[in-house]
Amino acid sequence: MQAKIVTLPGDGIGPEVIAEAVRVLEAVAARFGHTFAFEEALMGGCAIDAVGDPLPEATLAACESADAVLLGAVGGPQWSDPTAAVRPEQGLLRLRQHFDLFANLRPVRTYPALAGHAPLRADLLDGVDILFVRELTSGIYFGERHEQGDGDRAWDTLFYTVDQVERVARVAFESARRRYGKVASVDKANVLAAMRLWRRTVNQVAADYPDVELEHVLVDACTMHLLRNPARFDVILAGNMFGDILSDEASVLAGSLGMLPSASLNASRFGVYEPIHGSAPDIAGRGIANPVATILSAAMLLRHSLGLETEAAAVEAAVDAALADGLRTADLVAPGETPASTAAFGTHVIEHLVQSD
Ligand code: IPM
Ligand code: MG
């Protein structure tokens, strides 16, 4: 097949990890007989520096013409002044909103090859395979009142409509059907009206999925269950902010934030794919970042936007094989071990990919 993929490397380690994911996608194209055209565009702090806007019109136009977008990371200390009028993160939020990317999929699994690396006891991590479905274009991030008062007050409104909850809940239930048949919906219905609407709506959607088991979990309790018994979860459905927080917490289960990919999808198959980690300015430019999250995001791109399931699974298997070979980037090495560079890890994944049958 032919596909156009726009890359938005962004800031910090973004360009380094995107470079590896693009090499992997090129290897997929060669191995499976596809033609992928890549176009790179500016987004985030680098776009602010270049043109004064974290999401320039030209970038939006490029994304409009693409089948999918692969994004690195945005942000850094030089753009973090809280009084600044433009911030890199605004570009990310506008991109999500512009394409109505309401369903954010964040799979979290543990890797046998990394057992012992995570700070939790290995027996707790056995069998962990969670899919976060995070609502991404509404909630408190996009509430109607979002302002800094003149003096000592500021507002962010938590707001949800039935439609907004319903569509993301359907994604969660559909996903559960293809997995282990369970949805845990996270809310704070004991305190917040918008979260009572969330719970009521999820219950209504659940009526269409009698084969899927639903439980409601309060967000504070969920943080605890994720550490005490993570294997009990299948699909975790959460609003924008709770999903943001819980998915970072759950990354600890995988051993490193550098392992977790994500897909942000709209109602058509269009999506923006990105690692859930940030731009890590402290290690940028040194060639030591973990490219796994971005390579696995590219696998999600193949699966969800291009419908290439075999190719996606081949990339995932190649990452598993590289880890099983003992390859580790700096975030995963034990003291005294020599880490693999970002590029060395990418090369190793590609070697497995071209060898696989
Ligand atoms: C994420 C990030 C973003 C978010 C920030 C950078 C705006 O933390 O994708 O999880 O909060 O959604
Ligand atoms: Mg986050």
Side-chain angles (χ1 to χ4, degrees), residues 74 88-90 92-93 96 104 106 134 136 141 240-241 243-245 247-248 262 264 274-278:
V74 298
E89 293 80 5
Q90 291 165 345
L92 193 55
L93 297 180
R96 291 170 179 173
N104 181 222
R106 297 187 164 189
R134 170 188 173 195
L136 200 62
Y141 277 45
N240 205 340
M241 186 156 76
D244 178 45
I245 298 166
S247 56
D248 264 35
S262 78
S264 305
E274 56 176 313
I276 83 158
H277 63 67

Side-chain angles (χ1 to χ4, degrees), residues 8-25:
L8 307 174
D11 309 314
I13 58 170
E16 298 161 54
V17 291
I18 286 289
E20 296 315 308
V22 167
R23 289 207 300 139
V24 168
L25 286 171

Side-chain angles (χ1 to χ4, degrees), residues 76-352:
Q78 63 271 54
W79 305 287
S80 289
D81 176 358
T83 62
V86 280
R87 301 168 60 87
E89 293 80 5
Q90 291 165 345
L92 193 55
L93 297 180
R94 270 170 46 206
L95 184 71
R96 291 170 179 173
Q97 200 168 37
H98 180 86
F99 288 103
D100 199 19
L101 307 172
F102 66 92
N104 181 222
L105 310 184
R106 297 187 164 189
V108 178
R109 47 169 287 221
T110 49
Y111 294 81
L114 302 181
H117 182 82
L120 290 190
R121 280 201 333 259
D123 61 299
L124 289 177
L125 297 174
D126 211 22
V128 169
D129 182 359
I130 301 172
L131 177 68
F132 281 89
V133 177
R134 170 188 173 195
E135 199 291 319
L136 200 62
T137 49
S138 345
I140 196 165
Y141 277 45
F142 296 95
E144 54 185 337
R145 193 162 190 195
H146 205 57
E147 64 184 85
Q148 178 86 51
D150 295 336
D152 50 6
R153 294 189 293 173
W155 295 263
D156 297 282
T157 335
L158 172 61
F159 174 79
Y160 268 116
T161 67
V162 166
D163 289 350
Q164 289 164 348
V165 179
E166 185 179 335
R167 62 181 184 167
V168 74
R170 288 203 184 279
V171 173
F173 282 94
E174 293 290 338
S175 305
R177 261 194 183 155
R178 293 190 296 269
R179 292 169 46 95
Y180 310 102
K182 292 199 297 186
V183 170
S185 172
V186 177
D187 62 38
K188 190 71 185 173
N190 53 345
V191 180
L192 302 171
M195 293 284 97
R196 285 191 283 277
L197 178 126
W198 175 281
R199 190 177 285 211
R200 191 188 81 208
T201 308
V202 172
N203 277 330
Q204 280 159 359
V205 172
D208 292 341
Y209 299 87
D211 49 321
V212 175
E213 187 188 314
L214 168 67
E215 66 169 327
H216 299 284
V217 191
L218 293 172
V219 63
D220 46 354
C222 190
T223 62
M224 178 192 65
H225 294 311
L226 271 172
L227 299 182
R228 286 187 53 151
N229 187 9
R232 72 180 250 177
F233 291 113
D234 173 13
V235 174
I236 297 182
L237 167 65
N240 205 340
M241 186 156 76
F242 293 163
D244 178 45
I245 298 166
L246 293 174
S247 56
D248 264 35
E249 183 194 6
S251 75
V252 173
L253 309 171
S256 167
L257 201 51
M259 302 297 290
L260 295 198
S262 78
S264 305
L265 307 171
N266 64 19
S268 13
R269 289 199 318 189
F270 183 82
V272 172
Y273 299 83
E274 56 176 313
I276 83 158
H277 63 67
S279 59
D282 51 323
I283 59 161
R286 291 163 54 193
I288 61 169
N290 185 346
V292 168
T294 312
I295 293 172
L296 292 178
S297 298
M300 293 185 86
L301 181 158
L302 293 167
R303 173 174 296 123
H304 294 286
S305 282
L306 306 187
L308 300 175
E309 174 58 38
T310 307
E311 289 81 341
V315 171
E316 288 161 352
V319 168
D320 280 355
L323 291 169
D325 289 345
L327 234 69
R328 304 277 184 274
T329 41
D331 52 322
L332 291 171
V333 287
E337 278 174 18
T338 315
S341 70
T342 311
F345 198 96
T347 300
H348 212 81
V349 170
I350 290 165
E351 276 163 17
H352 276 289

